[in-house]
Amino acid sequence: MTLSRRHLLGGGGALSLSIFGPTSKALAALPALGDDPDPRLVRQALGALDRHRGAIRYRDVIGIVDFGRASHVPRFHILDLTNGWHRSHLVAHGRGSDPDHSGWVRRLSNAPGSAASSSGAYLVGDDYFGKHGRSRRLVGLDPENSNVEARRIVIHAARYVSPEIARGGKLGRSEGCFAVAQADIAQVLERLGPGRMIYAAKL
């Protein structure tokens, strides 16, 4: 799918794509699609990308996780800022964010032991192989996710995330990690390589 420049800015908001230099010219003016990322969240993510420009080495592709949407909806948006292309994936939230397992994030937390998801900007780190197979480390860049490394919040695949499970109305829950489907992990890690940013929030 391709997003228009107008959609990225939420209909011409104050934030400019000039932070991306000439690559912003590639954002063709195509109609916005109903399952596109929320423009308000895109603006927040672009602001975070600008704010953390010293830490984010590669600014061509970003991940946006919309914790305001239910877990059975593809809400992990990978957005190519050079051409407006995006792909959305299922992603689980932490069980501490949804203690009743309703499928909705009730709270976000940075506290160790909370098993909750955290909001804020994340720097994508290096690969490693753990109990979930190929995974990728993350570094929290904001006060609300400063404990990410200590909490071992990462991107990994999980059996409790899949379109089949989503059809039941909700995914399983992680310990706060960004858990995606086994079928999606390779593409997610390929597009969100080390040095890029993920931004997560609940509006």
Side-chain angles (χ1 to χ4, degrees), residues 42-43 146 170 182:
V42 174
R43 287 198 298 272
S146 59
K170 58 189 176 185
Q182 298 277 359

Side-chain angles (χ1 to χ4, degrees), residues 3-119:
L3 297 177
S4 68
R5 179 184 178 123
R6 178 180 176 85
H7 183 81
L8 284 171
L9 297 179
L15 182 61
S16 170
L17 284 178
S18 62
I19 59 174
F20 306 112
T23 59
S24 65
K25 297 178 182 178
L27 294 170
L30 297 176
L33 301 171
D35 59 350
D36 287 341
D38 188 316
R40 298 171 299 167
L41 198 54
V42 174
R43 287 198 298 272
Q44 286 188 14
L46 294 179
L49 188 62
D50 192 37
R51 187 169 66 251
H52 296 296
R53 62 171 58 239
I56 308 299
R57 183 175 181 183
Y58 301 110
R59 296 153 54 81
D60 54 343
V61 177
I62 61 173
I64 300 176
V65 178
D66 188 349
F67 282 134
R69 295 183 178 179
S71 67
H72 72 275
V73 176
R75 56 184 179 168
F76 189 171
H77 310 291
I78 299 178
L79 177 59
D80 188 327
L81 298 173
T82 68
N83 58 24
W85 176 96
H86 90 283
R87 177 73 180 269
S88 300
H89 301 273
L90 293 167
V91 64
H93 52 249
R95 59 182 174 84
S97 289
D98 180 13
D100 297 326
H101 201 186
S102 65
W104 293 86
V105 167
R106 302 302 182 190
R107 69 183 187 99
L108 297 164
S109 176
N110 187 38
S114 67
S117 296
S118 301
S119 59

Side-chain angles (χ1 to χ4, degrees), residues 109-112 118 140 142-153:
S109 176
N110 187 38
S118 301
D142 287 319
E144 58 265 36
N145 64 5
S146 59
N147 291 322
V148 161
E149 290 179 278
R151 296 178 60 206
R152 300 181 182 178
I153 303 301

